[in-house]
């Protein structure tokens, strides 16, 4: 394998860490905001809903981004072999 593939593989690992780190941080922020704005008239229920159900689309997006990253690594591996 070439150095280019190793670089892409390392970048993919970094990308995975960034994707899931952002997913985790955003979840913590949403839960914190939902707790802090519980008594606010309109914002409280909206943030409660986002904190309760927002993890589903966020997880789907993170999975799709991870799969796309792996597809790029596979393409790079195929180019390095040929």
């Amino acid at each position: 394998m070439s150095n280019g593939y190793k670089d892409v593989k390392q970048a993919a690992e970094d990308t995975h860490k960034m994707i899931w780190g952002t997913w985790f941080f955003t979840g913590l922020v949403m839960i914190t905001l939902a707790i802090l704005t519980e008594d606010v008239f309109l914002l409280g229920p909206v943030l409660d809903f986002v904190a309760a159900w927002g993890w589903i689309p966020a997880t789907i997006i993170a999975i799709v981004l991870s799969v796309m990253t792996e597809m790029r690594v596979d393409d790079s591996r195929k180019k390095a072999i040929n």
Side-chain angles (χ1 to χ4, degrees):
M1 297 284 165
S2 69
N3 273 347
Y5 170 70
K6 291 177 184 177
D7 293 342
V8 170
K9 188 172 180 180
Q10 182 61 43
E13 290 175 13
D14 295 342
T15 302
H16 283 296
K17 288 179 186 176
M18 184 182 65
I19 289 169
W20 291 103
T22 303
W23 175 85
F24 184 72
F25 176 74
T26 304
L28 288 178
V29 169
M30 284 292 109
I31 291 169
T32 303
L33 287 175
I35 291 170
L36 293 176
T37 60
E38 191 172 350
D39 297 331
V40 178
F41 171 66
L42 184 61
L43 191 60
V46 170
L47 288 176
D48 285 343
F49 178 80
V50 170
W53 297 103
W55 66 272
I56 295 171
T59 303
I60 291 170
I61 291 168
I63 289 171
V64 168
L65 290 175
S66 292
V67 168
M68 289 174 59
T69 302
E70 284 302 314
M71 288 171 55
R72 291 216 172 167
V73 169
D74 289 341
D75 290 343
S76 176
R77 182 183 55 78
K78 288 175 186 173
K79 287 179 183 176
I81 290 173
N82 292 332

